[in-house]
Amino acid sequence: MIKTKINKIVLVSLSFIFSSQVSLLHAEEAPFAIAIHGGAGAIQQSKMTPSLRKAYESKLNEAVSAGYQLLAQGKSSQQAIIAAIQIMEASPLFNAGKGAVYTFDGKHELDASIMNGKTLNAGAVSGVTTVKSPIALAEKIMEESVHVMLSGEGAEQFAKNKGLPLVDNSYFNTEHRYKALLKAKKKLIEKEQELKDFQAAHQSLPIQYKVGTVGAVALDKAGNLTAGTSTGGMTAKRFGRIGDAPIIGAGTYANNDSCAVSATGHGEYFIRYHVAADICARVQYQKIPLAKAADIVVNQVLVEAGGSGGVIAIDAKGNITMPFNSEGMYRASMSSIGPSFVGIFHHE
């Protein structure tokens, strides 16, 4: 009788240990991944020198690795994308943060947004001029404000109240962006005089003056998705123009039931066609695979509308897709269930 009870206790103990090991194994096998972009459209392969390409690839690798390391440590997808985006914001290579383009008046106005796929909470900021890291402010708005989006002076006051680093607007100055402004203004003024219409003149600008963004999407070990986007906007923009980057559903969207998306390109089209949310809706409601849903929106819907750009997207299983319809898109990804990747042009 005693021996039988001991055997039962041993069997129960062994069963508990085995179950614990299996649970631990499943926890360790949970996929995690991150994808980032440094903008689409403002890239000409003919002007991409080996040294410039190396600089972009190095910074992309640094950013995606920083986010991936946090995921590997069990940190949240939100922490991962913030880390990755802030590295790109601090680089003059990208149109976000330090490398932001100039407005028509020769200043910098920055936008950003973030969305948490578990809670569907979101934060966005537009038109700030002194916030060093717009994505950090978007996160603060999401977590510590009763609002989703703040803009201009009010957003900067909120940033100051929360102790976020502030800088003079000249911090964002870069020579190559200033030269781009001068070229854009010359083209705009000439065309406006010819056409007598600012809107028509602006539409005549080459695509490289209308695009440029950074973003990240990630899946963490807990199965939560997050997306974030940050930008300096459009070269020579006027009248407080706001693009898709801070618009939830257009440039940024995340939902654990479908996917997380960060967009880059000619923002007006991404706003009109609600690009980021459209992709996730196709995944969630039509049960279309992520890659196909993103391809339809980027290479059919946007192309037919005349919109240029691309997206990075990730679903709850860790699948990643990064389609674009422009000449190139700076992009990179790292995954626990697939190979790492860094690329700029098609067929890479």
Side-chain angles (χ1 to χ4, degrees):
M1 186 70 175
I2 296 175
K3 187 176 181 180
T4 301
K5 287 184 178 180
I6 292 174
N7 287 337
K8 285 183 178 180
I9 292 172
V10 170
L11 286 172
V12 170
S13 300
L14 288 173
S15 177
F16 175 78
I17 293 170
F18 179 74
S19 297
S20 299
Q21 289 175 335
V22 170
S23 298
L24 182 60
L25 182 62
H26 286 319
E28 292 174 348
E29 291 176 345
F32 58 94
I34 182 171
I36 67 170
H37 71 76
I43 309 165
Q44 294 175 287
Q45 194 163 2
S46 60
K47 295 183 179 180
M48 182 61 68
T49 64
S51 60
L52 187 58
R53 182 183 183 106
K54 183 178 180 180
Y56 273 108
E57 289 179 341
S58 176
K59 190 57 65 173
L60 287 168
N61 187 62
E62 179 187 349
V64 76
S65 296
Y68 185 78
Q69 287 172 11
L70 290 175
L71 294 173
Q73 295 167 12
K75 304 295 184 181
S76 70
S77 53
Q78 183 172 316
Q79 290 172 296
I81 70 156
I82 292 292
I85 290 173
Q86 285 188 318
I87 287 173
M88 291 185 285
E89 283 183 335
S91 170
L93 291 172
F94 306 103
N95 178 17
K98 177 60 181 172
V101 297
Y102 288 78
T103 66
F104 190 89
D105 296 325
K107 296 184 178 181
H108 309 276
E109 296 175 357
L110 297 87
D111 310 324
S113 65
I114 186 171
M115 186 168 184
N116 184 298
K118 179 181 180 180
T119 63
L120 300 189
N121 199 5
V125 58
S126 66
V128 292
T129 60
T130 62
V131 179
K132 188 175 184 180
S133 173
I135 193 64
L137 176 54
E139 182 183 39
K140 278 291 183 184
I141 293 169
M142 178 175 73
E143 294 185 334
E144 300 182 27
S145 168
V146 296
H147 309 297
V148 170
M149 178 183 285
L150 300 179
S151 66
E153 293 181 3
E156 291 177 349
Q157 183 60 53
F158 181 80
K160 183 178 180 180
N161 290 349
K162 296 301 179 180
L164 293 180
L166 302 179
V167 294
D168 187 83
N169 195 248
S170 62
Y171 164 81
F172 306 108
N173 289 353
T174 53
E175 184 178 358
H176 69 292
R177 299 295 189 197
Y178 186 66
K179 288 180 178 178
L181 171 66
L182 296 181
K183 290 179 181 178
K185 288 183 70 172
K186 182 180 179 182
K187 292 178 184 293
L188 275 173
I189 292 170
E190 289 175 352
K191 278 294 183 180
E192 191 170 6
Q193 290 174 344
E194 175 189 339
L195 302 172
K196 309 302 181 184
D197 184 340
F198 175 77
Q199 184 172 340
H202 195 277
Q203 289 174 342
S204 71
L205 276 178
I207 188 63
Q208 61 262 32
Y209 296 110
K210 302 176 182 178
V211 296
T213 318
V214 306
V217 294
L219 170 71
D220 59 34
K221 291 182 178 181
N224 296 319
L225 296 166
T226 306
T229 312
S230 181
T231 186
M234 181 185 290
T235 301
K237 63 183 179 180
R238 301 178 75 177
F239 314 119
R241 179 263 184 185
I242 298 170
D244 66 303
I247 307 298
I248 301 302
T252 303
Y253 193 78
N255 186 331
N256 280 6
D257 292 333
S258 55
C259 62
V261 178
S262 174
T264 172
H266 193 169
E268 277 66 18
Y269 290 90
F270 285 74
I271 294 172
R272 291 170 189 156
Y273 289 88
H274 208 224
V275 167
D278 185 15
I279 292 170
C280 292
R282 291 170 188 265
V283 172
Q284 184 174 357
Y285 302 117
Q286 297 182 345
K287 307 304 179 184
I288 297 175
L290 177 66
K292 183 178 179 180
D295 181 67
I296 290 171
V297 175
V298 172
N299 290 310
Q300 292 183 34
V301 175
L302 276 177
V303 169
E304 290 171 7
S308 176
V311 303
I312 53 171
I314 185 171
D315 66 17
K317 296 180 181 178
N319 296 310
I320 293 172
T321 188
M322 299 183 282
F324 55 99
N325 61 39
S326 52
E327 185 172 353
M329 181 171 78
Y330 301 110
R331 61 202 191 279
S333 64
M334 294 187 78
S335 170
S336 65
I337 56 174
S340 298
F341 173 84
V342 177
I344 301 175
F345 301 104
H346 287 284
H347 311 302
E348 293 183 343

